[in-house]
Amino acid sequence: MAESEMTGIQLDRRDFAKVAAAAGVAATAASHGPFVRSAKADSRVVNYAMIGPGSRGRRLLERHLVHMDHGKCVALCDIYEKNLNRALKVFNDEPRAYTDYNELLAQDDIEAVFITVPLFLHFPVMKAALEAGKHVFCEKSLVFTPAEVHALADLHEAHPDLTIQVGLQRRYSLLYRRAKQMIDAGAIGDITHIQAQWHRNTNWRRKAKPDFEDQFNWRLYRKYSGGLCAELMSHQVDVADWFLDQHPATVVGVGGLDYWRDGRDIYDNIQLIFEYPGGQKLQYSSIMTNRHIAGRRVPGDGCRETILGTDGAIELTLIPYGDGMFYRDVMKVKMEDQAKQKEVEENWVAGATVGMDTAEQGDGFPIDPEAVNPDEVGFIEKELFFAKTWAYNKGILRPSETVDPEYAELSSFLKDVATGGRPRADIEVGLRDSVAVILANLAMDEQRKVAFAEIEGMGRQPRDVTSAPRATAAD
């Protein structure tokens, strides 16, 4: 087969392999999603409990936690009996069952808790857990209100030895970490814009009896939920913060409840622009009437982040199995060197110059989280590398991470509890992410540009949680 037929670009086989591997790009083929079915304990076993094993919590139990031998589930809590019984069966009814999370937290043999309750209950449950001396993994968004932002920061200061991790699994993705390494090394030059979207064509409503409407469909109501900002945008604004090594200065946007007029009061479409101190912009979109993504890449359930720099771009999605593309497009004339107007050589990976000048604008290379240097492998490995990359570009193979980022974040939490390590998605990451959610909703509600500095003057009196429910609603 001719080289042009296999690649569609102006690079020969040797140069293509070297360029792609040097950039950390290649194809990782898989016919199924990334699952890790067991993990050998490399530290002591941590006894943990889960509070709120509803749809999200049970997924974490069934797909991941049950396969980890460095953690042991000793207790479960939910006020909804059906959810509780389903979760118990994951562990053959071995964990103790509770309907009051305070009773669970009083048990001395529990060292850590996974909190997967609805957003409005995150803070009261975390507060009780930290005061009981438990390490905490809490799903995003970490807290619900400005008062809780400040109160949780104070709680952490009072309990500095307790681990707090938020469920932002992209920070545990090998694919996203590879992309971050490429960006830090200068692969796409200076980031100027990030475009992110999470589009769906679904009503987001779950079937429920009237008595359980609030518990099952809490995401649809403002008194319980941060809406699309909390449930979807929170993941992607965190990616922008992480890749830029900055946090937003302002946010402006519009939101509407324009299609799903079925009793909900959250927005069903949002459009936001976050501005960072360096002038970079995150343009964000989430709608609930169509999940199409322009271009030839896998749909990814309408979810994608595109990082745009002066010398190229990176496209990423974690859904369904992880997919990333690198596009080289060197800016020939830059502000700092307009007069010379010469091509700039980039030494941005392991000290090696990457010769991608012959690649045409628009040509892309799949990112491989575990790429190898073709100079360090044999002929067969080189040919396999090239064949997979060609097949990937033809849409024959589907890429996949070797470790599910959900699994990685849960496993890492248990190991950090055992060893005293610091989570990648720690309390600082979680609080900044929550602030972005809170202020983005405020910007849309008040139809104005909101400065992130405003959070300092908001909700300084901690929320009164003395009357908070002693049992949790189902997630």
Side-chain angles (χ1 to χ4, degrees), residues 146-188:
E148 293 170 354
V149 170
H150 307 305
L152 185 58
D154 292 342
L155 276 169
H156 176 57
E157 186 175 346
H159 303 279
D161 296 331
L162 293 177
T163 300
I164 301 175
Q165 181 177 324
V166 64
L168 293 169
Q169 62 264 34
R170 282 162 178 77
R171 288 190 179 246
Y172 295 82
S173 160
L174 295 175
L175 173 65
Y176 278 70
R177 286 162 61 191
R178 167 67 79 177
K180 169 66 170 169
Q181 291 170 353
M182 293 171 63
I183 289 168
D184 288 348
I188 61 172

Side-chain angles (χ1 to χ4, degrees), residues 76-92:
L76 295 164
C77 177
D78 204 298
I79 61 171
Y80 186 50
E81 184 178 4
K82 190 173 182 179
N83 279 349
L84 185 57
N85 289 335
R86 285 176 176 173
L88 287 168
K89 291 185 183 303
V90 174
F91 298 94
N92 298 317

Side-chain angles (χ1 to χ4, degrees), residues 331 333-339:
M331 181 179 284
V333 179
K334 298 187 177 182
M335 283 295 297
E336 66 270 22
D337 197 21
Q338 290 190 66

Side-chain angles (χ1 to χ4, degrees), residues 252-256 267 269-272 443-444 447:
V252 65
V254 293
Y267 296 130
N269 66 98
I270 61 175
Q271 309 289 321
L272 295 157
M444 292 185 290
Q447 299 184 27

Side-chain angles (χ1 to χ4, degrees), residues 145-397:
T145 69
E148 293 170 354
V149 170
H150 307 305
L152 185 58
D154 292 342
L155 276 169
H156 176 57
E157 186 175 346
H159 303 279
D161 296 331
L162 293 177
T163 300
I164 301 175
Q165 181 177 324
V166 64
L168 293 169
Q169 62 264 34
R170 282 162 178 77
R171 288 190 179 246
Y172 295 82
S173 160
L174 295 175
L175 173 65
Y176 278 70
R177 286 162 61 191
R178 167 67 79 177
K180 169 66 170 169
Q181 291 170 353
M182 293 171 63
I183 289 168
D184 288 348
I188 61 172
D190 297 325
I191 298 175
T192 59
H193 295 81
I194 297 177
Q195 298 171 342
Q197 72 168 69
W198 202 327
H199 292 176
R200 289 178 167 178
N201 53 355
T202 176
N203 64 0
W204 217 8
R205 178 173 291 282
R206 299 165 63 192
K207 292 181 180 179
K209 296 178 180 179
D211 292 345
F212 289 97
E213 169 63 17
D214 284 5
Q215 291 186 43
F216 277 74
N217 288 307
W218 61 269
R219 290 178 178 85
L220 303 182
Y221 305 106
R222 285 176 173 246
K223 60 183 177 179
Y224 308 123
S225 167
L228 294 172
C229 287
E231 297 303 311
L232 302 181
M233 184 208 76
S234 58
H235 285 294
Q236 295 169 293
V237 72
D238 179 58
V239 170
D241 284 12
W242 178 27
F243 284 6
L244 287 168
D245 289 321
Q246 297 185 54
H247 315 299
T250 64
V251 59
V252 65
V254 293
L257 179 52
D258 302 312
Y259 185 83
W260 293 110
R261 298 175 180 176
D262 56 359
R264 73 186 68 195
D265 58 10
I266 63 160
Y267 296 130
D268 63 14
N269 66 98
I270 61 175
Q271 309 289 321
L272 295 157
I273 299 176
F274 294 85
E275 185 172 13
Y276 287 77
Q280 302 91 341
K281 310 293 191 300
L282 165 62
Q283 302 162 299
Y284 187 78
S285 173
S286 183
I287 66 176
M288 301 182 71
T289 50
N290 191 297
R291 68 173 186 170
H292 178 71
I293 291 179
R296 68 177 181 84
R297 306 307 307 153
V298 293
D301 193 30
C303 178
R304 178 187 291 178
E305 300 91 37
T306 304
I307 299 88
L308 302 170
T310 54
D311 290 340
I314 289 176
E315 289 184 354
L316 296 166
T317 183
L318 201 63
I319 300 173
Y321 306 115
D323 182 68
M325 288 291 289
F326 166 57
Y327 298 89
R328 186 73 165 159
D329 183 19
V330 178
M331 181 179 284
K332 303 301 182 184
V333 179
K334 298 187 177 182
M335 283 295 297
E336 66 270 22
D337 197 21
Q338 290 190 66
K340 295 181 181 179
Q341 295 189 12
K342 68 176 183 180
E343 295 184 1
V344 178
E345 294 183 353
E346 297 287 346
N347 296 321
W348 48 265
V349 175
T353 299
V354 179
M356 296 192 64
D357 294 337
T358 55
E360 296 177 354
Q361 182 178 358
D363 292 332
F365 300 88
I367 298 174
D368 181 359
E370 300 175 328
V372 297
N373 187 336
D375 291 334
E376 298 176 358
V377 297
F379 174 79
I380 294 177
E381 288 84 357
K382 290 180 182 180
E383 291 300 301
L384 181 61
F385 170 89
F386 187 83
K388 283 184 176 180
T389 304
W390 172 80
Y392 178 84
N393 281 313
K394 291 294 185 181
I396 298 171
L397 297 179

